[in-house]
Amino acid sequence: MLRLDFSHPQPLFTSQATRHIEAAAAAALPPCTLMERAGQATARLAMAMAPHARTIWLACGSGNNGGDGLQAAAALRAAGRHVVVSCLADDAQQLPPDARQAWLRARHAGVEFASQPPSLGPQDLCVDALLGLGLTAHPRRHPADARLLQWLEALHSGTTPVLSVDLPSGLMADTGQFAPGLTPGGPAIAARYTLALLTLKPGLFTAHGRDAACCVWFDDLGVGNAGTSPAAWLAGAPRPSSRPHASHKGSYGDVAIIGGEGVGPRGMGMTGAALLAASAALHAGAGRVLVALLDGVADATTVTSVQPECMPRRFEALALDGGVTAVAGCGGGIAIAAVLEPILLQAGRLVLDADALNAIATDGAMARLLRARASRTDRATVLTPHPLEAARLLGVETDAVQADRLAAASELAARFHCAVVLKGSGSVIAAKGHTPRINPTGNARLATAGTGDVLAGLLGARLAAVPATLDAAFEAACSACWEHGAAADHWPGSSALTALKLARTLTA
Ligand SMILES: NC(=O)C1=CN([C@@H]2O[C@H](COP(=O)(O)OP(=O)(O)OC[C@H]3O[C@@H](n4cnc5c(N)ncnc54)[C@H](OP(=O)(O)O)[C@@H]3O)[C@@H](O)[C@H]2O)[C@@H](O)CC1
Ligand SMILES: Nc1ncnc2c1ncn2[C@@H]1O[C@H](COP(=O)(O)OP(=O)(O)O)[C@@H](O)[C@H]1O
Ligand SMILES: [K+]
């Protein structure tokens, strides 16, 4: 059993692949072995988490997730703990075969069964074994058992810590969305832990997964992956960079930030977005940072007063075909559309963010130019949409993107022949020929204006230092997401996270 610390990559398997792994393992083992192991693992973790619990309440469903809970109850009882089980199945016959054995074992062990949760305090523990991999968006039984909803609510809003078995009940393993009708009312009050069994599932790490699962532990139940391919990888920490002594600023590339519409065209100034990206690129180690503000009136001091190391440029004075890495769109407004064509045609390495993405979503000719870049061996492009920008690019609603973030990122990568970062909690990085990655770092302190511009600038710096290939762009995007999130994770609790401060904490 291990507690995930996000330093190493971890394979993530869909529910279908997990079923395959489970079936292969079960066929090679005596009956009930996997469920006994699941129960033992759950009991061990429960005792480690709440060594002073007076009572451990196990809420068990009427499938095999409930069976895991019943096995855990028997193991906890055998270890001398006071356990109370509430089970949605009224008798063993309502349970699938392995879970039926677990029920009988719990009964024989003298576990107390109760139809309502016992009285619990903050030192006690709840075990959530109501729903696991078998959760479906459209259940067979309508309406759901009233006790299910009541117990989910008790788990969610109580002051007692909760250990979820395999998955937080109600969360769908593949997408990190809650099944209809099972979305919790608000943030959980007490600490939450999840013990994933057999495999780690993508839904634990993206969309609502991170809030629902919180601290994730993993036990493979002594079973291998049966040669099954993961649907995604949880990204690991990038290798620390080292700079050879015999290097110079030219070794780390030029980054050109193009964006920052002024107040003039529409009365909505976004100069700051470009400056944030520039500051991020600089601090992340770009050799030189050039800034082309799309603002007819801005003079050089607009840039240099924020960051004197950055070099202001008129757009026409950027030698886009001279090996510069372009980061286009940050605060680009409508002005970016006018310069997008030369950017798409000439820039070798390119990050497209924000308004550049919106321009492509509404202009078929630009979309064609973007796709055509893939036919050149000296081109690498990364798109960094947030869910709304992704929805515009795909011509769907934001909810449809969020409903399956892995699928949406992969579809964008396939449609535009680029590497893609679909931002948000558990950013998804996708590119053709690569298994998608989910970034495990970052937190809601990043939910403040300008942090996406910082990511774009950081990514520009990473991209500038690698070959202009899709593979290198994919790796650069993974590194940038990890570093961006880690900077927020290490943020001092006493200080507000703002985008410029974030940019200035980045390192080469
Ligand atoms: N077998 C083994 O050896 C091993 C099994 N393992 C464990 O088994 C778990 C998978 O078990 P599973 O397949 O039985 O499904 P499970 O998660 O219990 O859910 C089924 C229940 O949920 C219900 N339900 C579904 N959707 C619903 C909804 N929207 N709203 C309301 N209810 C809904 C559904 O109701 P029904 O559709 O039948 O009416 C049924 O009662 C896995 O996560 C892991 O913990 C592992 O430890 C490895 C060893
Ligand atoms: N709740 C969150 N958890 C993790 N990361 C987040 C969260 N909210 C925002 N972020 C990250 O912060 C950045 C915000 O980007 P974006 O929405 O483009 O903002 P802006 O356009 O204001 O710069 C993205 O990298 C996103 O993944
Ligand atoms: K569960």
Side-chain angles (χ1 to χ4, degrees):
M1 193 188 312
L2 67 93
R3 181 181 188 278
L4 294 198
D5 67 359
F6 306 142
S7 53
H8 299 290
Q10 299 285 349
L12 306 174
F13 294 91
T14 59
S15 41
Q16 194 186 15
T18 304
R19 296 283 190 204
H20 175 73
I21 292 166
E22 181 190 318
L29 290 166
C32 297
T33 306
L34 286 177
M35 195 170 280
E36 279 168 21
R37 289 181 187 172
Q40 289 290 346
T42 305
R44 270 205 317 279
L45 191 55
M47 288 188 282
M49 246 148 215
H52 305 299
R54 290 169 315 173
T55 301
I56 300 175
W57 177 49
L58 297 103
C60 299
S62 42
N64 287 317
N65 193 245
D68 291 349
L70 290 162
Q71 285 286 1
L76 287 164
R77 182 76 190 95
R81 301 309 164 111
H82 177 230
V83 292
V84 177
V85 163
S86 301
C87 188
L88 289 176
D90 296 317
D91 64 64
Q93 296 317 310
Q94 295 176 2
L95 294 164
D98 286 6
R100 199 176 306 150
Q101 293 306 315
W103 164 290
L104 295 174
R105 194 178 155 216
R107 284 289 194 196
H108 288 148
V111 167
E112 180 184 334
F113 279 62
S115 57
Q116 291 301 323
S119 162
L120 297 165
Q123 77 282 23
D124 294 326
L125 184 72
C126 300
V127 174
D128 155 26
L130 286 167
L131 298 164
L133 211 58
L135 175 72
T136 51
H138 306 290
R140 283 183 298 150
R141 258 176 283 187
H142 266 298
D145 188 323
R147 292 172 302 170
L148 170 66
L149 301 180
Q150 196 189 334
W151 296 348
L152 282 175
E153 170 61 16
L155 291 168
H156 190 73
S157 56
T159 56
T160 308
V162 177
L163 169 59
S164 290
V165 179
D166 202 18
L167 287 155
S169 293
L171 189 80
M172 293 196 287
D174 296 348
T175 62
Q177 290 293 337
F178 288 102
L182 300 183
T183 306
I189 291 168
R192 296 196 77 104
Y193 311 89
T194 297
L195 173 58
L197 298 168
L198 271 180
T199 63
L200 289 162
K201 291 90 185 162
L204 293 169
F205 303 103
T206 198
H208 295 292
R210 296 189 65 199
D211 284 320
C214 291
C215 177
V216 178
W217 290 72
F218 173 51
D219 194 313
D220 68 4
L221 306 182
V223 164
N225 294 336
T228 312
S229 302
W233 284 86
L234 194 65
R239 265 208 307 270
S241 63
S242 69
R243 293 195 155 202
H245 290 286
S247 64
H248 54 84
K249 63 179 181 279
S251 315
Y252 302 103
D254 290 354
V255 174
I257 310 292
I258 306 158
E261 183 179 275
V263 184
R266 296 181 301 153
M268 297 192 287
M270 293 180 291
T271 316
L275 299 180
L276 288 167
S279 186
L282 179 77
H283 286 85
R288 298 193 312 158
V289 180
L290 321 172
V291 185
L293 291 178
L294 303 177
D295 178 338
V297 294
D299 64 18
T301 58
T302 311
V303 174
T304 54
S305 60
V306 175
Q307 204 65 70
E309 300 87 344
C310 294
M311 292 168 240
R313 290 283 191 276
R314 278 205 317 278
F315 176 75
E316 307 76 50
L318 290 172
L320 283 176
D321 52 1
V324 71
T325 297
V327 176
C330 309
I334 51 171
I336 193 74
V339 294
L340 205 47
E341 183 172 335
I343 294 171
L344 290 167
L345 286 170
Q346 293 169 29
R349 300 172 188 80
L350 176 60
V351 177
L352 291 171
D353 189 37
D355 293 312
L357 299 173
N358 296 334
I360 285 162
T362 55
D363 187 336
M366 293 301 140
R368 277 191 292 282
L369 285 182
L370 172 58
R371 276 193 288 272
R373 287 174 58 79
S375 60
R376 299 264 311 246
T377 54
D378 55 352
R379 297 283 186 260
T381 318
V382 187
L383 314 184
T384 56
H386 60 47
L388 174 60
E389 289 154 358
R392 289 181 185 134
L393 285 166
L394 290 170
V396 300
E397 297 297 318
T398 311
D399 282 354
V401 169
Q402 292 296 78
D404 193 342
R405 288 168 53 78
L406 277 172
S410 300
E411 171 61 23
L412 281 171
R415 198 176 286 193
F416 294 104
H417 311 317
C418 300
V420 170
V421 175
L422 175 58
K423 296 185 288 193
S425 180
S427 291
V428 178
I429 305 102
K432 192 170 168 224
H434 291 265
T435 303
R437 291 197 203 154
I438 298 182
N439 182 57
T441 63
N443 60 68
R445 294 186 117 188
L446 289 168
T448 176
T451 54
D453 305 312
V454 171
L455 177 70
L458 162 60
L459 176 50
R462 293 291 164 268
L463 197 57
V466 296
T469 65
L470 182 65
D471 294 350
F474 177 74
E475 293 299 338
C478 292
S479 294
C481 288
W482 205 98
E483 292 174 62
H484 182 254
D489 290 342
H490 295 126
W491 205 262
S494 55
S495 156
L497 189 157
T498 58
L500 186 58
K501 281 200 269 178
L502 179 70
R504 289 178 174 171
T505 65
L506 300 174
T507 52

